[in-house]
Amino acid sequence: MKIYKKQGDTIQIICSPEESMEKGDYLLIEDRKVNRGLIVQVVDIQFANLPGILEDILRDVITEGTVQGCDYDPFNISSQIAVLKDTKLLVCKIRGAIEDGKPKPDVSWLPSRTNSRIIPFPIERLTSSDVRKPVTIGKTKTNPLTVDVRMLDGRLNIITGRKGTGKSHLSKLLLLALIHNGAPCLVFDVNGEYVNIGVGKCNKPIDLAEKIKILVPGRNLKFTLDGVGLRSFLDTMIYALDLPRTSSKVFSRIWSELERCGNLNLNSLAETIRRFNCHESVREAINSRYHTILDLDLFTDDPASAFDFNYFQRKLNEGSAFIVNMRDQHSLSRRFIVELFLSKLTEQLSEMRLKAIFLFAEEAHFYLRETYWDDIVTRMRHLGIFTTFITNQPDTVQESVYRQADNIFMFNFTNENDLDAVSKVSKIDAESLRLIVKDLPAHNCLIVGDIVRDFPVVVNVKPLDVQTMGQTRKFFQD
């Protein structure tokens, strides 16, 4: 391999047909005179368009099958021309440098064309250093890729790609790694894909099964008014049911009156709303939303059958994971549950009763409106809610979220609109992202961010020994 030319952060390399290179591979351009090296990544592979090649190909097309006889080639020129026709041009992006055996961000110098040696570079040399809590995500072209699960701590993560490429599979891998290391986790499971994550493929519980709790709204997930509290209940009515601010002040007075009398229950609340002295429009706004909540069948007056947020907090601090299975829930019910949990988490984190939590939002666009994205990304990450968004509709995520993301796992996209959305990632140039992501096979993803030391890596995600579910149901199973 030889350097052809450099333009900006792009270096083009001439590569012989025998050398096997793929998109995402890393190369080291060693300048032996100055004992330095340039780390580059292949983002595209083309044919080297040499002078005269087109004419020779056209000549082959015209004469093929029409000219009879044997070729006489005493100097074996035709074999050399055949090699030239298949010579490849590697379009590479500069990712860093090696100086005295150590990686450096400085890339202000240019290696020699004549004195440089270009060799494949194992990315594991850069991403696997100082790994204290290892998790193997999968395999690169040559070796397993092991990263540090601590690089998810305090970070915003996005897993995206078109359906069927392996997004949920990767999120379960990361979730199990966090649980294994004692991290508190909460999963909003839209499609019921995580309910068997504690069960192995042989139908036996895995070692982490005791740390995984499945919550089903209406069954083992019901709330009492007293357990939820005024602040969280009111926040949920405002954000999930659009209760006007004026009506919310009246509702606060109603709640406080019942609490003072020790008569806070569903029937008393309904009766007090009906007879409370306020404007009729305010009463109607409160009453309609209250009955909407009753219709969701998420509340009860029986403390014994209600979800205990103190238990929730205690188990999280012990390193458990809660899976909220919202598969059969109405969209309004999903939004209500999510807002309620976010409000209670904010309360517990603000009071330092809960240290932090890793939140997995599967298909978040189904239950979080645009106005909530910035709040989750900015305010809640400072409180200690570290979110991983999993979505196959990247255009539903605001541009500001992509720009603030610390780690992004991108599976295949072919739609131009989807590529435009994910190309706004600030940790990689748009050209590299578009060229690599568009040709990724299923179960292969491009990882960008802190978890790979800001060196973009293509990895084949490893299989799991648990019942991952989430596969597309088919009629023709063969």
Side-chain angles (χ1 to χ4, degrees):
M1 287 185 279
K2 290 291 183 181
I3 297 174
Y4 171 47
K5 69 177 181 179
K6 176 186 181 295
Q7 186 172 359
D9 64 344
T10 301
I11 284 187
Q12 295 183 1
I13 295 173
I14 300 295
C15 176
S16 69
E18 290 78 18
E19 293 173 299
S20 176
M21 301 302 300
E22 297 177 5
K23 285 187 181 183
D25 288 351
Y26 274 83
L27 298 171
L28 179 64
I29 305 175
E30 284 186 317
D31 194 329
R32 287 168 283 190
K33 276 197 170 182
V34 294
N35 193 27
R36 289 195 291 186
L38 210 59
I39 303 170
V40 299
Q41 185 180 29
V42 180
V43 298
D44 198 16
I45 303 174
Q46 305 171 4
F47 284 114
N49 293 320
L50 306 174
I53 290 294
L54 178 60
E55 290 85 348
D56 200 71
I57 293 173
L58 290 173
R59 193 179 299 110
D60 288 346
V61 171
I62 294 170
T63 60
E64 191 175 42
T66 60
V67 178
Q68 303 298 322
C70 298
D71 291 334
Y72 182 65
D73 187 11
F75 298 106
N76 198 26
I77 295 175
S78 60
S79 63
Q80 296 182 33
I81 295 175
V83 170
L84 289 174
K85 288 178 184 176
D86 288 334
T87 299
K88 292 173 283 190
L89 181 69
L90 308 180
V91 181
C92 306
K93 290 288 184 179
I94 299 173
R95 301 300 187 204
I98 294 285
E99 191 169 337
D100 297 327
K102 297 179 181 179
K104 301 274 186 180
D106 176 28
V107 289
S108 59
W109 59 281
L110 190 64
S112 167
R113 272 176 164 171
T114 55
N115 296 317
S116 292
R117 181 181 67 148
I118 304 175
I119 57 174
F121 184 76
I123 188 60
E124 296 80 14
R125 283 180 55 184
L126 299 172
T127 60
S128 301
S129 60
D130 191 31
V131 175
R132 299 181 189 176
K133 295 186 180 296
V135 54
T136 300
I137 290 183
K139 189 177 180 181
T140 62
K141 186 179 177 180
T142 54
N143 298 302
L145 177 69
T146 300
V147 298
D148 198 332
V149 77
R150 294 179 305 154
M151 293 297 105
L152 300 175
D153 192 9
R155 269 88 170 175
L156 169 67
N157 313 296
I158 298 175
I159 302 175
T160 186
R162 62 185 178 87
K163 64 179 182 179
T165 51
K167 301 182 304 300
S168 297
H169 182 92
L170 175 61
S171 69
K172 291 162 194 166
L173 190 155
L174 297 176
L175 175 64
L176 287 170
L178 288 167
I179 299 171
H180 176 75
N181 286 280
C185 301
L186 175 64
V187 180
F188 293 133
D189 184 8
V190 173
N191 300 314
E193 298 179 26
Y194 294 75
V195 293
N196 284 347
I197 197 172
V199 182
K201 291 186 176 180
C202 56
N203 290 323
K204 292 183 179 180
I206 64 173
D207 295 339
L208 300 173
E210 292 184 356
K211 290 187 173 185
I212 301 171
K213 318 293 180 186
I214 309 298
L215 302 177
V216 182
R219 297 182 191 173
N220 63 340
L221 185 60
K222 284 195 172 187
F223 312 101
T224 60
L225 297 176
D226 186 56
V228 170
L230 173 59
R231 176 181 171 182
S232 295
F233 193 91
L234 194 57
D235 283 348
T236 308
M237 290 187 73
I238 292 171
Y239 295 119
L241 302 179
D242 298 314
L243 181 69
R245 294 288 178 177
T246 305
S247 302
S248 67
K249 294 178 181 178
V250 175
F251 183 81
S252 297
R253 297 208 306 270
I254 294 172
W255 184 292
S256 299
E257 181 180 306
L258 290 172
E259 210 168 34
R260 187 170 55 253
C261 299
N263 193 28
L264 184 61
N265 57 64
L266 296 173
N267 290 330
S268 298
L269 184 56
E271 178 63 24
T272 307
I273 291 172
R274 187 182 62 81
R275 64 173 175 78
F276 199 78
N277 183 23
C278 62
H279 194 275
E280 189 62 33
S281 62
V282 173
R283 189 194 330 279
E284 179 59 31
I286 296 173
N287 195 52
S288 63
R289 286 161 177 81
Y290 176 71
H291 280 90
T292 299
I293 291 173
L294 290 183
D295 292 340
L296 297 177
D297 193 29
L298 293 174
F299 280 85
T300 178
D301 284 329
D302 180 16
S305 62
F307 182 71
D308 186 356
F309 278 102
N310 291 324
Y311 166 81
F312 173 69
Q313 170 197 312
R314 186 173 68 254
K315 297 305 289 184
L316 285 177
N317 284 327
E318 292 173 1
S320 293
F322 286 84
I323 315 291
V324 184
N325 180 11
M326 301 188 291
R327 178 178 180 177
D328 299 320
Q329 298 299 306
H330 188 272
S331 59
L332 187 59
S333 178
R334 291 172 183 166
R335 199 164 67 184
F336 187 91
I337 292 166
V338 169
E339 289 299 330
L340 184 56
F341 268 102
L342 289 178
S343 181
K344 289 301 291 186
L345 287 172
T346 302
E347 178 185 311
Q348 292 173 343
L349 289 164
S350 299
E351 296 172 359
M352 301 303 293
R353 288 184 283 148
L354 188 62
K355 185 177 179 181
I357 188 167
F358 294 86
L359 175 65
F360 285 75
E362 181 82 35
E363 304 297 355
H365 54 271
F366 283 140
Y367 46 80
L368 288 177
R369 294 178 297 176
E370 284 190 8
T371 51
Y372 304 148
W373 288 111
D374 285 334
D375 190 45
I376 290 176
V377 170
T378 55
R379 188 172 68 90
M380 291 189 178
R381 70 190 297 187
H382 291 298
L383 285 172
I385 300 179
F386 311 134
T387 311
T388 298
F389 294 116
I390 306 106
T391 181
N392 60 12
Q393 298 183 29
D395 55 344
T396 61
V397 181
Q398 289 184 0
E399 181 180 332
S400 59
V401 178
Y402 284 112
R403 296 197 182 280
Q404 295 182 65
D406 301 291
N407 298 300
I408 301 188
F409 306 82
M410 283 166 287
F411 289 81
N412 176 270
F413 276 121
T414 54
N415 184 283
E416 287 297 329
N417 291 332
D418 292 335
L419 287 167
D420 286 340
V422 297
S423 65
K424 297 178 175 64
V425 175
S426 62
K427 293 205 170 189
I428 185 175
D429 60 285
E431 183 185 7
S432 296
L433 190 147
R434 294 173 71 93
L435 289 171
I436 295 175
V437 169
K438 200 169 184 177
D439 293 329
L440 285 175
H443 306 295
N444 284 257
C445 78
L446 173 67
I447 306 176
V448 181
D450 297 345
I451 199 166
V452 286
R453 316 286 179 184
D454 288 329
F455 286 93
V457 179
V458 174
V459 61
N460 186 342
V461 180
K462 72 172 186 177
L464 289 173
D465 292 328
V466 300
Q467 297 183 14
T468 54
M469 305 181 68
Q471 295 90 348
T472 301
R473 182 188 294 184
K474 296 181 180 179
F475 177 77
F476 299 105
Q477 291 298 333
D478 56 358

